[in-house]
Amino acid sequence: VQVLESGGGLVQPGGSLRLSCAASGFTFSNYGMSWVRQAPGKGLEWVSSITTNGGATYYADSVKGRFTISRDNSKNTMYLQLNALRAEDTAVYYCAKPLGTGWSPWDWGQGTLVTVSS
Amino acid sequence: EIVMTQSPATLSVSPGESATLSCRSSQSASSSLAWYQQKAGQAPRLLIYAASTRATGIPARFSGSGSGTEFTLTISSLQSEDFAVYYCQQYNIWPYTFGQGTNLEIK
């Protein structure tokens, strides 16, 4: 069971970035998936979740209206589109797979770092 | 949202001794409580879920207890690899929330 994030990098305030989470070793389409982030030296914050078929999505208030979660089950991949980025969005973004058929608890990828700075 | 409060923020313990970490929720989390371990530069690792069930591959020296609003993670006979930051997380009510972490350090 593995999830692998990619797409992080340095972006200016107001810019955009798309993160990807590639899944392998499990039936991706059977699991609701999530993104969780961790600012440097800080704790963990749930960001967004998506149902198995992408029919429903959920967002933290801090990112609502700026981030968009999506998935492509044919490619075993989940995405997070980050728009209107702010300095406070700087964090490691983790792809999180639930342990069972519920939403949580989570197994985690290694994360991808997003740095928002001019 | 449910606020998770962990105590203490830092715990200094000698190898071979036991450590007790606490987590309190502002509303009932029922038994939907997980504990994660995070080492520097690494992703969190799931240790305990459903308040007291060890995840696959987690040694028996890790044990969790509690329900409702009070939870405890106990690590007996601390090994060098156990010194890390520990987070609790409730997954009973959205949004799922984490405690601020307890840094378990070598005394």
Side-chain angles (χ1 to χ4, degrees):
Chain A
V1 174
Q2 186 177 5
V3 292
L4 183 63
E5 303 91 337
S6 62
L10 174 63
V11 60
Q12 292 187 339
S16 298
L17 214 53
R18 189 177 83 156
L19 308 183
S20 299
C21 168
S24 60
F26 64 99
T27 305
F28 179 68
S29 59
N30 285 352
Y31 292 86
M33 297 290 292
S34 300
W35 290 96
V36 180
R37 69 183 180 183
Q38 185 173 37
K42 302 296 185 181
L44 299 161
E45 178 190 20
W46 167 77
V47 173
S48 183
S49 297
I50 187 167
T51 53
T52 54
N53 63 0
T57 57
Y58 308 92
Y59 299 94
D61 287 345
S62 58
V63 307
K64 200 172 295 182
R66 301 186 299 120
F67 291 7
T68 302
I69 191 172
S70 61
R71 65 191 296 162
D72 185 340
N73 287 344
S74 68
K75 295 182 179 179
N76 290 340
T77 302
M78 175 177 68
Y79 305 97
L80 187 66
Q81 178 69 39
L82 288 63
N83 295 332
L85 282 161
R86 306 166 180 166
E88 55 264 36
D89 296 318
T90 294
V92 175
Y93 285 73
Y94 293 103
C95 172
K97 171 199 170 291
L99 182 66
T101 54
W103 282 105
S104 197
W106 289 307
D107 286 320
W108 308 67
Q110 285 306 299
T112 187
L113 175 62
V114 173
T115 303
V116 184
S117 175
S118 55
Chain B
E1 81 179 35
I2 295 180
V3 176
M4 307 299 291
T5 303
Q6 292 185 239
S7 60
T10 301
L11 183 60
S12 299
V13 183
S14 299
E17 295 185 340
S18 294
T20 300
L21 287 66
S22 296
C23 176
R24 175 178 295 179
S25 59
S26 62
Q27 304 173 46
S28 176
S30 186
S31 293
S32 299
L33 191 285
W35 289 95
Y36 300 91
Q37 177 194 67
Q38 188 177 36
K39 299 179 180 179
Q42 296 184 18
R45 178 175 71 145
L46 177 64
L47 298 176
I48 301 285
Y49 63 96
S52 61
T53 303
R54 279 189 304 276
T56 302
I58 302 303
R61 64 179 182 274
F62 291 89
S63 63
S65 63
S67 65
T69 62
E70 300 281 345
F71 301 90
T72 300
L73 174 68
T74 301
I75 312 170
S76 61
S77 188
L78 278 161
Q79 308 294 303
S80 58
E81 62 266 28
D82 299 336
F83 292 94
V85 179
Y86 291 83
Y87 294 95
C88 63
Q89 177 224 348
Q90 67 81 21
Y91 53 99
N92 188 45
I93 296 175
W94 286 99
Y96 296 162
T97 48
F98 297 86
Q100 80 281 15
T102 289
N103 181 26
L104 179 59
E105 63 176 28
I106 299 176
K107 186 175 182 180

